[in-house]
Amino acid sequence: MRRGAGLRLSVQQAAELSAASYAGLTHSLIKARVRKRLDAADVQAYLLDDDVLLIPGSNSAFDYLKYNLRLLNVGGTRYKVKNGATGQALGRTWHQGFLAHAMLVHKTFKANPPKFIIGHSLGAASAQILSLMWGVPAIGFAAPRIYAGGAPVNNAAGCLCLWRGDDPVGQLPSHRFRHAGTSVILGKSRSMGLLNHSMRHYKTAISDPNHKSVVPNVWPVSG
């Protein structure tokens, strides 16, 4: 890992941190490293001392309903994405629940933005969006699709989305939507239903030698 501009992480290390984010301040990997945290409106995030931002996914039925299922509208509001470096609006049809989640994280950490973002599930949706807004690298595990449209979003090269072929979340909300940046499908294994969605099983998939050819050792690949 390197501090400051050009920060890079091993994908395996990112997976360990993502799994630890669900335990928050009680986990030995991060409890002494949290510089700032968010825990409000059913959103959690942790900014570590090396400027890595961890965003876990849904941890209750309420936040799943509040964010994951709000496809086109949240409370009558339509949100838009703007690139933080240029202020240029990124005109797409964005999943509004994911965007509302990301906007709350953005508001909390915008005074001292991260240099790298790691997220899982709902957190991976936010990680993609915030990677575009802040122009920093991101890794999203079990990443859902975040915007509709055939064309890729500009400036998304820093985002890596990893999803298992046996995890239905990576194919949601529909074929009309797509991931931002580089999307890597990890091969299918014995199906265990939604258990395949957990970080425990993503860590196993990433360390599988059969995926060595598709999963980079570090992200970004060059820096």
Side-chain angles (χ1 to χ4, degrees):
M1 183 189 304
R2 300 188 304 180
R3 294 177 181 270
L7 188 64
R8 300 170 74 196
L9 290 179
S10 89
V11 175
Q12 188 67 53
Q13 181 184 16
E16 295 288 346
L17 288 171
S18 184
S21 70
Y22 282 92
L25 298 178
T26 66
H27 199 286
S28 59
L29 275 181
I30 65 174
K31 65 181 181 181
R33 298 180 54 196
V34 175
R35 195 171 73 200
K36 186 175 183 179
R37 66 176 177 139
L38 164 65
D39 187 0
D42 302 289
V43 181
Q44 292 78 40
Y46 304 91
L47 182 65
L48 304 185
D49 55 6
D50 56 358
D51 297 317
V52 173
L53 180 64
L54 305 179
I55 314 175
S58 303
N59 59 11
S60 73
F62 184 77
D63 64 2
Y64 187 88
L65 293 171
K66 184 176 181 179
Y67 295 109
N68 295 48
L69 300 183
R70 300 295 183 89
L71 183 63
L72 298 176
N73 188 296
V74 177
T77 300
R78 289 298 301 272
Y79 295 95
K80 297 181 180 179
V81 173
K82 289 188 177 181
N83 180 285
T86 65
Q88 178 181 2
L90 302 177
R92 295 291 189 276
T93 299
W94 297 90
H95 185 296
Q96 291 293 290
F98 296 159
L99 193 46
H101 187 279
M103 290 299 189
L104 184 55
V105 179
H106 184 272
K107 179 180 179 180
T108 301
F109 298 101
K110 66 180 180 181
N112 299 105
K115 294 183 172 65
F116 202 106
I117 308 169
I118 302 167
H120 171 251
S121 190
L122 177 57
S126 274
Q128 294 174 71
I129 295 168
L130 294 168
S131 175
L132 297 171
M133 296 178 74
W134 277 319
V136 300
I139 299 176
F141 299 99
R145 299 164 174 168
I146 61 169
Y147 72 93
V153 175
N154 293 334
N155 304 317
C159 191
L160 173 65
C161 297
L162 297 163
W163 54 286
R164 293 173 57 119
D166 50 13
D167 176 7
V169 172
Q171 302 177 61
L172 296 176
S174 77
H175 67 279
R176 291 177 50 246
F177 282 71
R178 62 186 300 158
H179 298 99
T182 300
S183 177
V184 173
I185 306 173
L186 305 175
K188 294 183 178 181
S189 62
R190 181 173 61 87
S191 178
M192 294 173 284
L194 287 177
L195 288 177
N196 293 320
H197 184 64
S198 74
M199 273 307 306
R200 172 188 171 191
H201 292 293
Y202 270 83
K203 285 166 46 179
T204 299
I206 289 162
S207 61
D208 187 336
N210 293 324
H211 296 146
K212 187 175 181 180
S213 63
V214 294
V215 177
N217 289 326
V218 296
W219 187 260
V221 174
S222 61

